[in-house]
Structures are given as C-alpha cells and as structure tokens.
Amino acid sequence: PLCNGGTNGSADLTTTGGSQKLYAVAGPDGFKSFQQLGAAGDGVTDDSDVFRVASGQKVRAEAGSTYLLDLNAYTEAINLASGTYWDMTGAKIQYDCFGHPLFYANLNADGVTLIRPHLVFNGTAAANAAALPSNADMRDEYLIPASGAIGYSCAFYFAGADNIEIVSPKHEALAPGTRKSQYAFFRLNNKFDADLDNDNYTDADRANRVEISDITCDDCNFGILGGGYAQMLFPGHHYFGRYESYDNDASLDYGAPEHRFYISGYLGVDYLDLGHVFDDGLDQTETPTANSANTIKFRKVNSFSVGSVVSKCNGGLIDGEGYSNGHFGPMTFIPRDPSLMDGTQMRLSFEGD
C-alpha cells in the first residue's frame, strides 16, 4: 500500500506533475516491496532507479519477479547504504554491465544484509581494456581503492563496508558460453585511503567482518576475490560450475588467473572460516589450455579453517603463501582433463609454526 504524504519531504513515488508525493507503507514485519517502490519486475522495464531508492531500506522482492538493472556507465553502479536489508527470495536480478560493479558499498556503510540474491548476467566480457574505467575514475566516484581495470568488474564490490551478510547468493549467465562470464561475483577490498597508493596500510584500513554463505556460482571467473577484512566467513556449502579462463586470450589478458576463492590482502586476514566447496571445473574457454587457476588460493591468512574441498578444476586444487594456524578438512582432486594440469595442483607456503 501507499499513502499520500503531501507535497514536502522525500518520497518513494511522485505523481505526474509532482503534485502528490506517495510513501510506501511497510507491512507488519517491517518490509516494503520493490513493486511498492515502483518496480515493474517484468524483466523488460529498467528497475535500477527503484533499487537506488531501496538502498538503506528493508525491502522484499515479489516471488516470480525479474528485476532488470540496465546500467550504461560506471557512474551508475548502485550503492548499498547502511541498513540495506533485501529479501530477494524467489526473484531474479538481470544485469549486463561489465567493467564496473553492479552493486557496491564503501567505508560509509555498516550493516548490509541480502537474502538469496539471484543474479543473471546478460552481458558480454569486454575485449578492450582501454574502455574500462581507470583507478582514478573509480576512486573519485565510489571511494574504493585501486583495483586495476578489470578488478572493478563484478556483481558486488565491498570496499571497507562493515558487517556485510549475504545469504545463499546465486549467479549465472542468461545464455552461457564464450565471453559470457563476469569477472568476479564478489570483490572485497580495504577501506579507501589516499595513502594506499604508497602501500601505507594500517589495521585501520581494514573492515571488521564479512559473511557470505552457501554460494552457487556459474559464469564468474572468480567467486570471491580480494581481502581487506579482519574476519572473513564463508559458512555452508559452495558450488562453482562454469567459468571462462580469460588469461588464455591476449585480448582479455588482465593478469591473475581465475580462482574460485582468492583471498589476499596486504595486512592479511585474522580469521577465515570456509565451509565445504565443490568446484565442478566447467571451463567455457573456446580453446582451453593449461593455466594456473585453482579452486582455492590464500595469501596471508593468519588463522583459518576449511571444511572440505572437492575440485575438478584442471588448474589445481589449492595454492598460496603465508598460511598460519589453520586446519584443512578432506580434499579431493579429480581434474576434468589431466592433460591441462600445469604442475601446481597443491602448493602451500606456511609462515611461522
């Protein structure tokens, strides 16, 4: 329901001509709906402005809806403000942007919760690095640290935003295939600090806690990429299926090979908890070749627990350096094509005892 709020103040909807401002009325459980805020949810109408209005609010999707978010420039990424609590159960978000985030939250956000966000990528991987936003562009627009051109391309970018909780996120392409993989599902980074250009990191540059549970990820080259958090929690069961190895194509040569979980940071992670991982290793590259992508790669993880890992990734099961004070549960490696293994199927470098 909507109520007439008169002609003053911020409104969720405004009538034609601006004569009446209307406010969505939350239900008994405190939730509004995206449709109350003006969304069509038909998969055709652009609902991106409605999602901007919903930022910082407690909003529920209507089951069966497909919300189209048609972003045309890096300046249109949708901010997730403190207090954002969206229950997306039974709905989908369709988007096509590549080269910049769909959603982001920076050091100004504390407390963002998303329940069952299901994202459908209908874009194409850019083959021209010059077309991607620069570090300066992204810092000025979003207050997020340097990530390198392709490093901004993701569904979610959390840079210093604290107390993030994502429950059962899912990602897939509308039409899977070559050039149909997003670079990263989730990109994590430190808080923005002008000194970070000189690597002058301190504990104050880290956020405290992020929790992402029960991930289902197809058509992303990285599931989780980055660090910048003292506590990184990934409980539950995680499935990774299709991906495309960009590093085998000169036109998409953006550096790091693709890993399902790539946790790294200058300051390290105080505690990392990872549940159970199944990597189906479904490489969609047009002509797959040997590469060094792994299911898991950690750097500077100071204390950790990994429940179990089953990997069919040709690149390898695990790689990394700077591990300490941790535990790995059972790990099983069954490469889909042993001829494409590159010799780093399991490599660990520990620091300290």
Side-chain angles (χ1 to χ4, degrees):
L2 297 170
C3 71
N4 183 347
T7 58
N8 297 315
S10 176
D12 296 312
L13 295 171
T14 303
T15 57
T16 302
S19 60
Q20 296 292 327
K21 295 184 181 296
L22 304 178
Y23 298 80
V25 178
D29 58 1
F31 280 93
K32 302 174 184 178
S33 75
F34 287 100
Q35 269 78 349
Q36 278 181 276
L37 298 178
D42 58 7
V44 177
T45 306
D46 181 10
D47 290 325
S48 56
D49 284 342
V50 173
F51 276 70
R52 293 186 179 92
V53 171
S55 177
Q57 300 195 59
K58 194 174 181 180
V59 185
R60 176 174 287 133
E62 293 190 6
S65 297
T66 296
Y67 301 102
L68 175 65
L69 306 185
D70 186 14
L71 276 57
N72 297 306
Y74 75 89
T75 54
E76 297 180 1
I78 297 169
N79 176 246
L80 301 176
S82 298
T84 298
Y85 192 117
W86 294 347
D87 184 347
M88 303 301 301
T89 302
K92 297 178 181 180
I93 295 172
Q94 184 174 312
Y95 76 108
D96 62 3
C97 61
F98 185 91
H100 62 82
L102 174 63
F103 296 106
Y104 78 99
N106 59 28
L107 75 170
N108 295 317
D110 188 345
V112 172
T113 301
L114 305 178
I115 309 297
R116 297 183 180 86
H118 181 175
L119 277 70
V120 180
F121 181 54
N122 192 28
T124 301
N128 181 4
L132 300 176
S134 69
N135 285 331
D137 289 336
M138 297 302 290
R139 285 183 226 162
D140 292 346
E141 188 71 27
Y142 298 123
L143 288 181
I144 56 180
S147 301
I150 191 63
Y152 297 113
S153 191
C154 58
F156 295 96
Y157 197 128
F158 298 122
D162 218 340
N163 297 308
I164 303 298
E165 183 175 5
I166 314 296
V167 178
S168 299
K170 182 176 181 178
H171 189 283
E172 62 181 326
L174 185 66
T178 303
R179 300 294 178 273
K180 295 298 183 181
S181 280
Q182 179 57 270
Y183 189 65
F185 195 0
F186 292 94
R187 181 72 168 91
L188 308 175
N189 211 335
N190 304 284
K191 297 178 182 179
F192 173 81
D193 187 325
D195 290 335
L196 295 188
D197 281 339
N198 301 315
D199 293 345
N200 294 324
Y201 292 90
T202 69
D203 284 344
D205 293 316
R206 290 188 303 181
N208 180 46
R209 180 178 180 276
V210 60
E211 179 174 338
I212 306 174
S213 60
D214 295 299
I215 300 166
T216 300
C217 184
D218 276 300
D219 309 305
C220 282
N221 294 351
F222 290 89
I224 304 289
L225 170 61
Y229 283 79
Q231 301 178 62
M232 303 183 74
L233 311 176
F234 306 105
H237 293 76
H238 309 287
Y239 171 83
F240 296 91
R242 297 183 300 268
Y243 70 99
E244 182 179 356
S245 185
Y246 290 166
D247 62 325
N248 293 325
D249 187 326
S251 66
L252 288 168
D253 185 8
Y254 295 124
E258 296 74 30
H259 312 285
R260 309 297 84 75
F261 278 91
Y262 186 10
I263 307 301
S264 178
Y266 288 97
L267 287 170
V269 178
D270 288 345
Y271 179 68
L272 184 146
D273 183 9
L274 175 58
H276 305 277
V277 179
F278 180 83
D279 181 358
D280 216 4
L282 298 171
D283 189 350
Q284 301 296 294
T285 308
E286 192 169 8
T287 306
T289 60
N291 65 69
S292 55
N294 302 99
T295 298
I296 292 175
K297 186 168 185 176
F298 295 159
R299 285 181 172 172
K300 296 187 177 181
V301 177
N302 301 322
S303 182
F304 65 91
S305 175
V306 177
S308 65
V309 182
V310 176
S311 174
K312 294 184 177 181
C313 176
N314 293 323
L317 189 152
I318 192 164
D319 192 8
E321 59 190 8
Y323 292 83
S324 63
N325 303 314
H327 166 78
F328 287 102
M331 294 190 286
T332 304
F333 181 46
I334 315 168
R336 284 191 168 273
D337 187 347
S339 69
L340 298 181
M341 295 192 301
D342 73 343
T344 58
Q345 285 74 51
M346 187 175 293
R347 178 176 61 184
L348 303 175
S349 172
F350 285 84
E351 290 183 351
D353 297 331

